Amino acid sequence: MSVNLGIVKGFDRIGEENAFAVLARAQELSNQGQDIINLGIGQPDFPTPPNVVEAAVKALHDGHHGYTPAVGIEPLRDAVANDLAKRHKTPVSSQNVLIVPGGKVTMFAAILMFGEPGAQILYPDPGFPIYRSMIEFTGATPVAVPIRETNGFAFSADETLSLITPATRLIIINSPANPCGGVTPRAEIEALVKGLEQFPNVAIMSDEIYDQMLYDGAEHTSLLNFPQIRDRLILLNGWSKTYAMTGWRLGYSVWPDSLFDAARKLAVNCWSCVNAPAQYAALEALTGPQDCVEQMMTAFAKRRELVVRELNSLPGVSCINPSGAFYAFPNIRDTGWQAKPLAKELLEKAGVATIGGPDFGIHGEGYIRLSYANSLPNIERAIERMRSFLNT
Ligand code: PLP
C-alpha cells in the first residue's frame, strides 16, 4: 500500500535555484570526461584568504567548538556594526546585528515574517530566484518589479512605487544585483525612499550582498543611509561573495528594533547558532587585511572587460556593461533562440554552463546569465565555443 503523507501545501509552491541543477549536470558531464567550462554558478573561483582559514583552524584549536549565542558572538556582531558604520558612514548598533548561516537565511526569515495569504511582496524580476520561491511558499502573492535593460538593469523608483497596494507588506531591493549586474544609482534610491515615506507600513529588505563588487567608479548606495526608513529596514549581507566564502555558510542581517526579537527566536528555533569556528573566520575577514578583496576585484574587472567585449562580438548577442557583482546578462533575442533551450544546448553541445534568464523570472526571457568567476583563458575558450555553436 502506498503512503500518503499529506505534506503541507506550501511545498507544492516552493521553487528552486536552477544554478544548482546546472552545477550538478556540469559535474556529471565532466565526470563523463567532457571538458566543461562553468560560467553558471555564482561563486568566486578564488580560495578563501589564508588568514581567514587560519582563524577558523585556530578557533577550533582554542576550543571554540560549542554553541555560541544564537545571535552570534559579541566581537563579530561588533565587527559587523563597525564595518557597516565605516563603509556606509552611518551609525549601526551591534544590538541589531544577527549572524546567520548564509545570506539566504535573511531573506528566508524576512519573507516568513511578512508572507501570508492576502499579503503582497514586491521582488525584482529578473532577480535571485529564492525571493519568489519563498514568497510563494508562504502563500503571499509575489509582485514582480521588472528590472529593465533599457534602465541599465537598475530599479526604477517610479515603477516600484506604482506597484504598491494596501496589501503590500514587504519590498525586496537588490543592488548591485544578481543576475543582471545592475547598480541602482543614488538618485533613484533617494526617489524610492522618498516615495516609501508615503507607505509607512511597508517593510523593506535590502539585499546588499554584492555591495563591494563595483566597477568603473559605480557607487553603492546602502539603504542604511536613510534614517527615515531604518525602523522598517532589514539589511541582508554576508561573507560569501566578498571574501570567497560561499561554502562556509555565513551571513549577517541588520534588523530594526521591532523585528530583532522575532528574528532571534527564529534562529533559536531553527539553526541555534552559526558554527563557531566559521564565526571566528568571519571576524578575521572583517578585521584583518582587506587586500584580498581588492585583488579579487582587480581580477573580476579584467574578466568583465573581456566577457562583455567578446559577448558583443557574437552573432545576435548584445551585452551592456554590468556595473556590479560578477555576472554578465547578455541579450540573446537576435540569435533566434529562446533563453532556456540556448543555455541547455550550450551546456550539452558546447560544454559551456550558463543559466537561462527565465530561471530568474519571466522578465529574464531573451537573456542568459554568465558568471565570470572563472579564469581569463577559460572565459575566452567559453566564448569561442559559443561563437562556433551560434555560427552552426
Ligand atoms: N542574495 C543574492 C542576490 C545572491 O546572489 C545570493 C547568492 O548567490 C545570496 C543572496 C545568497 O548568498 P549565500 O550563499 O550567502 O546564502
Side-chain angles (χ1 to χ4, degrees):
M1 202 170 74
S2 67
V3 291
N4 179 1
L5 298 178
I7 181 172
V8 300
K9 286 279 176 270
F11 281 89
D12 293 342
R13 299 186 299 262
I14 202 164
E16 288 224 44
E17 210 188 323
N18 201 33
F20 283 99
V22 171
L23 181 67
R25 180 66 185 146
Q27 195 58 54
E28 196 175 66
L29 290 171
S30 151
N31 292 345
Q32 289 166 11
Q34 293 203 40
D35 176 27
I36 304 294
I37 305 169
N38 198 338
L39 304 183
I41 194 80
Q43 68 177 339
D45 55 323
F46 302 98
T48 303
N51 59 312
V52 175
V53 175
E54 275 316 307
V57 173
K58 180 172 184 309
L60 281 174
H61 284 306
D62 290 350
H64 294 298
H65 49 71
Y67 291 125
T68 76
V71 290
I73 57 172
E74 224 33 69
L76 182 55
R77 296 174 74 205
D78 286 343
V80 167
N82 289 338
D83 175 62
L84 288 172
K86 191 169 101 200
R87 290 194 297 111
H88 301 313
K89 301 184 181 52
T90 185
V92 176
S93 163
S94 63
Q95 294 309 301
N96 297 89
V97 173
L98 182 72
I99 308 301
V100 289
K104 258 181 191 166
V105 177
T106 301
M107 66 187 78
F108 187 80
I111 294 168
L112 280 187
M113 268 183 213
F114 293 100
E116 61 183 341
Q120 293 180 357
I121 299 183
L122 271 56
Y123 70 101
D125 178 342
F128 191 56
I130 301 305
Y131 304 143
R132 185 186 172 103
S133 164
M134 276 306 298
I135 297 167
E136 302 240 39
F137 176 73
T138 65
T141 304
V143 178
V145 177
I147 302 295
R148 300 181 193 279
E149 183 181 0
T150 46
N151 197 31
F153 291 129
F155 273 81
S156 147
D158 283 349
E159 194 163 14
T160 309
L161 293 165
S162 74
L163 293 167
I164 299 178
T165 72
T168 307
R169 303 285 299 281
L170 175 69
I171 296 186
I172 299 173
I173 305 291
N174 173 220
S175 172
N178 177 8
C180 308
V183 175
T184 302
R186 183 167 191 96
E188 208 63 28
I189 300 263
E190 280 172 358
L192 182 66
V193 170
K194 190 156 182 15
L196 285 172
E197 286 173 34
Q198 308 304 314
F199 304 100
N201 298 327
V202 174
I204 303 137
M205 189 193 82
S206 184
D207 181 341
E208 302 186 9
I209 200 148
Y210 296 100
D211 68 347
Q212 297 197 62
M213 306 196 132
L214 298 159
Y215 308 97
D216 290 345
E219 276 177 34
H220 168 66
T221 306
S222 175
L223 288 223
L224 283 174
N225 283 129
F226 300 91
Q228 61 272 49
I229 54 160
R230 282 287 284 272
D231 58 356
R232 52 195 167 115
L233 174 70
I234 302 157
L235 179 89
L236 180 161
N237 209 327
W239 289 263
S240 294
K241 316 288 173 175
T242 316
Y243 298 98
M245 295 179 78
T246 50
W248 293 70
R249 308 313 302 137
L250 269 172
Y252 64 82
S253 15
V254 180
W255 297 84
D257 290 339
S258 66
L259 301 179
F260 188 84
D261 211 46
R264 181 192 62 78
K265 281 197 262 183
L266 196 63
V268 171
N269 277 269
C270 185
W271 58 90
S272 295
C273 66
V274 172
N275 97 56
Q279 293 193 54
Y280 285 89
L283 180 59
E284 172 63 19
L286 289 184
T287 56
Q290 298 298 303
D291 29 333
C292 54
V293 181
E294 254 171 60
Q295 282 160 11
M296 196 163 71
M297 285 314 294
T298 306
F300 275 138
K302 287 195 187 124
R303 295 160 174 196
R304 165 184 169 268
E305 219 180 286
L306 174 74
V307 84
V308 171
R309 189 183 63 232
E310 292 302 310
L311 281 170
N312 279 310
S313 75
L314 295 181
V317 178
S318 63
C319 182
I320 67 168
N321 246 326
S323 307
F326 43 77
Y327 307 110
F329 204 62
N331 185 323
I332 50 94
R333 285 209 173 90
D334 290 345
T335 63
W337 281 88
Q338 296 276 95
K340 282 189 61 112
L342 177 61
K344 187 165 187 300
E345 291 297 284
L346 283 174
L347 176 57
E348 301 290 334
K349 305 259 167 65
V352 179
T354 63
I355 313 283
D359 284 331
F360 303 98
I362 53 165
H363 295 280
E365 185 51 87
Y367 300 88
I368 58 173
R369 188 191 80 173
L370 278 74
S371 156
Y372 48 88
N374 211 320
S375 67
L376 289 170
N378 275 349
I379 292 171
E380 254 168 23
R381 283 197 309 132
I383 305 268
E384 282 324 303
R385 287 181 185 188
M386 288 172 70
R387 191 186 313 283
S388 311
F389 177 84
L390 289 170
N391 279 328
T392 51

